[in-house]
Amino acid sequence: MRKVIHYELVVIGGGPGGLAAAVEARESGVKSIAVIERDTELGGILQQCIHNGFGLTEFKEELTGPEYAERFIRELERGGIDVMLNTMVMELHHDRRLVVTSAEKGITEIHAGAVILAMGCRERTRGAIAIPGTRPAGVMTAGTAQRYINVEGYRVGERVVILGSGDIGLIMARRLTLEGAKVLAVAEVMPFSGGLMRNIVQCLEDYEIPLLLSHTVTDIIGRDRVEGVVLQQVDEKLNPIPGTEKRYECDTLLLSVGLIPENELSRMAGIQIDPMTRGPRVNEQMETSVPGIFACGNVVHVHDLVDFVTEESRCAGRAAAQKVLAKAEVADPPKIEIQTIAGTGIGYVMPQRITQAGAADRVTLMMRVKKVYKGAEISVSADDREILRKPFGHLAPGEMVRLDLSSGLVPSGSRTIGIEVIEKQ
Amino acid sequence: MKEMVCIVCPKGCHMKVERNQEEWIVTGNSCNRGKLYAIEEQRNPSRVVPTTVAVSHGMHPRLPVKTARPIPKQLIRRAMEEISKVEVDAPIEQGQVIIENLLGTGVDVVASRRMNRV
Ligand SMILES: Cc1cc2nc3c(=O)[nH]c(=O)nc-3n(C[C@H](O)[C@H](O)[C@H](O)COP(=O)(O)OP(=O)(O)OC[C@H]3O[C@@H](n4cnc5c(N)ncnc54)[C@H](O)[C@@H]3O)c2cc1C
Ligand code: SF4
């Protein structure tokens, strides 16, 4: 018979999201907690992000990824939390039953009082973007290259072209340059970079690596190994412009073309997914559409700063603890239902719904704009009446916007909170 | 006048720096840290250098390290060469000094993580 074990709280994923959520739940009084991680160690993606730039908000210091992870791993090691490494969650059901597997212990079933999803995200691959040409060696995602170089110690190539100017692509351009490779160009299909400004400055400008906006790869040359790629300019509709083809002799093409929240388990449990974020729809407490299952970090929406992952994950940890420790005699706060709506210029808004009376007075809305604005205002309205307007000197899709709603702004009884960008003429 | 983007915090203010005889004039910054950065970037640009060194008997073949403080930008290449010569043996503690006084800068290279011996 299959072994069944019980926990008050199970956290899936041992990256910064899972670590912060587990520690916070313990501090809130949960006595039996398990963190399940498929990798050989805790820390998630941070262990391969050896560059500095983490923790400016959380610790007021500029830490490397491993250093940031280490602070939370040490917190976890203070006790009260079981860590299952090399263990993969295979199934998650809406009644909070999990099936996990490890080489050491085989298949185990776990029943949990509450579950926190913290599985992070994965990279989009070549299949997801359909580049024509042959399929030689030397084409890989930027994150895979990052792991090869920083953890395993392989060289990935000598002459490199990078497609996509998200943060991972930018970070890898610098890393490869410092390791002695020649990065010929970073091509970005959009007319703006999806990465943080600081990364454009520190990773490209510092090393005079050209950033080719409105350019994409239209051909890959080489049979066994990449011998070159063709970059081509694109028009406003992102279609390649004939006659602008330029061939680059290179042995490696790195793809940094986006991240997708890892939500197979969420779908299996019947959790509603937001088509814009591609993560679970959550309320202000990070609870998904399935009661008792919470989510935080990159599995919910892709973050550029780990500090906000930590903040969001603590919120999920506290809320899950409340759920687990709830006394029958204490009534839940009255329920309301406010939907947040991404209007003109806004890609998505998080949380997607607000469900507790009073919560609209202290919620932080997180959102991304769809394009670059130099000087614009973000307008917030409740049931179509404007309640807040805030000017921004610079807005870009690569930089998440956070807006705190303060007490009394949202009239009681409101059904929707809409956000839009108002461009200055 | 030089236009630049502040990279001290993720806000990334767009600043302008100008030299007015002995004084630097910075505009566009939202806080004083930005102003200090702008002036420093003109006088003596420097960066923290994160990289890896080979480690034996660890759970991974590479150990992430960094310069404990920023070093002058023009020394980055030489710093990389110097750091790449080093090989260490696990166990290593986080913060452990891997190279003392890198290239005479007075800055140490330290381990970014612990690496247990396996
Ligand atoms: C290349 C790169 C550079 C970045 N640079 C910066 C930066 O400079 N500054 C900054 O602040 N932020 C940066 N970030 C962002 C930050 O690192 C991430 O937002 C953060 O790590 C997300 O944390 P997470 O816990 O949600 O996900 P992750 O760190 O991805 O952790 C998820 C964990 O879940 C595990 N998992 C997944 N599925 C299962 C399963 N079924 N069973 C068991 N375990 C599972 C995974 O193995 C993984 O360990 C960067 C991110 C990347 C990818
Ligand atoms: S000027 Fe201040 S607020 Fe603006 S980016 Fe620099 S440190 Fe941040």
Side-chain angles (χ1 to χ4, degrees):
Chain A
M1 218 188 76
R2 218 189 241 174
K3 196 173 147 210
V4 177
I5 45 180
H6 294 262
Y7 279 100
E8 287 177 332
L9 174 64
V10 168
V11 179
I12 309 176
L19 292 173
V23 167
E24 190 71 15
R26 178 188 68 197
E27 304 301 305
S28 309
V30 182
K31 292 282 181 292
S32 93
I33 306 175
V35 174
I36 305 178
E37 170 57 56
R38 65 182 172 197
D39 206 343
T40 51
E41 62 179 339
L42 295 173
I45 198 80
L46 291 183
Q47 297 290 16
Q48 68 181 61
C49 299
I50 63 159
H51 58 281
N52 52 313
F54 298 82
L56 282 163
T57 308
E58 177 67 24
F59 297 112
K60 308 278 173 284
E61 277 182 68
E62 204 170 321
L63 302 174
T64 63
E67 286 173 317
Y68 191 94
E70 184 85 12
R71 300 215 171 176
F72 287 88
I73 295 171
R74 282 191 198 276
E75 268 299 305
L76 201 85
E77 286 173 346
R78 287 187 25 233
I81 299 172
D82 289 346
V83 177
M84 302 182 191
L85 294 175
N86 303 307
T87 306
M88 171 106 178
V89 179
M90 308 295 290
E91 290 176 30
L92 172 67
H93 300 278
H94 71 279
D95 55 359
R96 302 183 303 282
R97 268 184 311 118
L98 298 87
V99 177
V100 309
T101 174
S102 74
E104 204 186 316
K105 297 196 179 128
I107 293 176
T108 312
E109 188 166 319
I110 302 180
H111 293 186
V115 173
I116 298 178
L117 309 175
M119 291 93 74
C121 57
R122 65 185 145 76
E123 291 179 284
R124 291 177 71 189
T125 53
R126 184 176 171 189
I129 49 163
I131 307 172
T134 53
R135 312 219 140 217
V139 183
M140 68 185 91
T141 64
T144 302
Q146 188 179 44
R147 188 168 175 90
Y148 280 165
I149 297 174
N150 293 346
V151 182
E152 319 286 351
Y154 304 136
R155 280 191 85 104
V156 301
E158 304 303 323
R159 290 172 65 82
V160 185
V161 169
I162 300 178
L163 175 62
S165 64
D167 288 312
I168 315 178
L170 301 175
I171 297 278
M172 287 312 292
R174 172 179 62 186
R175 185 76 188 116
L176 283 158
T177 306
L178 286 176
E179 286 292 328
K182 174 85 187 151
V183 178
L184 303 171
V186 175
E188 168 61 56
V189 72
M190 302 302 284
F192 51 83
S193 162
L196 296 173
M197 189 50 99
R198 66 195 309 266
N199 285 336
I200 297 176
V201 174
Q202 282 195 330
C203 301
L204 299 188
E205 291 176 10
D206 269 10
Y207 299 94
E208 294 169 12
I209 300 169
L211 172 61
L212 305 176
L213 297 173
S214 298
H215 275 74
T216 193
V217 172
T218 52
D219 200 7
I220 300 173
I221 300 135
R223 270 181 67 100
D224 302 320
R225 175 83 201 187
V226 174
E227 286 165 18
V229 299
V230 174
L231 295 185
Q232 206 170 339
Q233 209 176 325
V234 299
D235 62 20
E236 304 88 76
K237 296 203 175 94
L238 308 185
N239 295 319
I241 303 172
T244 61
E245 298 88 347
K246 193 166 166 210
R247 182 170 163 158
Y248 287 75
E249 307 300 325
C250 61
D251 55 24
T252 305
L253 172 65
L254 291 195
L255 304 175
S256 173
V257 289
L259 300 166
I260 306 173
E262 182 100 69
N263 276 295
E264 284 67 28
L265 292 174
S266 319
R267 286 198 190 85
M268 200 184 291
I271 289 167
Q272 273 180 32
I273 302 290
D274 181 326
M276 299 310 296
T277 55
R278 297 185 175 226
R281 283 172 58 83
V282 292
N283 69 9
E284 73 283 1
Q285 297 199 297
M286 306 306 296
E287 190 167 15
T288 68
S289 62
V290 174
I293 303 185
F294 299 77
C296 55
N298 277 354
V299 79
V300 181
H301 59 140
V302 176
H303 291 256
D304 22 66
L305 293 175
V306 72
D307 308 67
F308 299 139
V309 170
T310 300
E311 181 188 284
E312 187 180 288
S313 305
R314 287 195 176 122
C315 167
R318 267 194 305 277
Q322 260 177 30
K323 194 92 176 184
V324 171
L325 304 171
K327 305 254 181 342
E329 62 270 25
V330 186
D332 278 345
K335 287 272 180 271
I336 56 166
E337 181 72 42
I338 303 176
Q339 305 276 339
T340 58
I341 298 169
T344 314
I346 303 286
Y348 71 79
V349 188
M350 248 269 315
Q352 289 83 356
R353 47 202 287 262
I354 297 168
T355 60
Q356 268 188 12
D361 285 345
R362 53 190 135 80
V363 73
T364 299
L365 298 175
M366 291 183 262
M367 64 203 75
R368 282 186 194 277
V369 295
K370 285 185 179 160
K371 59 172 200 167
V372 175
Y373 295 93
K374 293 225 182 307
E377 292 175 320
I378 289 191
S379 158
V380 183
S381 38
D383 289 345
D384 299 331
R385 285 220 357 246
E386 185 168 82
I387 53 170
L388 179 69
R389 192 184 268 233
K390 206 174 158 190
F392 286 86
H394 186 259
L395 287 168
E399 286 158 41
M400 197 166 72
V401 180
R402 293 155 47 91
L403 277 181
D404 294 316
L405 295 189
S406 53
S407 206
L409 266 183
V410 180
S412 64
S414 298
R415 305 289 300 275
T416 62
I417 295 177
I419 320 278
E420 61 184 336
V421 183
I422 301 188
E423 246 175 302
K424 286 206 192 114
Q425 298 315 326
Chain B
M1 188 194 68
K2 194 174 176 324
E3 287 190 34
M4 60 191 294
V5 179
C6 180
I7 55 175
V8 175
C9 91
K11 198 166 169 183
C13 294
H14 292 242
M15 311 190 287
K16 288 189 178 124
V17 207
E18 232 170 325
R19 185 159 197 165
N20 188 348
Q21 279 140 30
E22 280 313 287
E23 238 191 317
W24 293 95
I25 299 172
V26 182
T27 51
N29 56 312
S30 303
C31 76
N32 199 45
R33 288 193 304 161
K35 180 175 172 185
L36 296 178
Y37 166 76
I39 296 171
E40 193 62 16
E41 272 294 285
Q42 299 308 307
R43 283 204 187 127
N44 174 34
S46 57
R47 300 282 184 266
V48 166
V49 180
T51 180
T52 64
V53 298
V55 55
S56 46
H57 302 110
M59 70 182 300
H60 303 300
R62 304 298 294 186
L63 172 77
V65 299
K66 67 169 194 182
T67 56
R69 280 180 286 122
I71 62 167
K73 219 166 127 177
Q74 77 272 12
L75 286 182
I76 292 179
R77 289 266 173 206
R78 279 182 57 210
M80 285 295 293
E81 275 167 35
E82 202 62 23
I83 298 171
S84 72
K85 292 180 195 155
V86 175
E87 196 178 328
V88 294
D89 195 33
I92 302 281
E93 272 308 307
Q94 187 194 36
Q96 189 174 325
V97 175
I98 303 297
I99 302 176
E100 251 174 71
N101 188 12
L102 177 72
L103 302 172
T105 52
V107 177
D108 294 339
V109 174
V110 297
S112 276
R113 60 168 287 174
R114 76 183 118 154
M115 187 70 78
N116 297 335
R117 195 177 176 89
V118 291

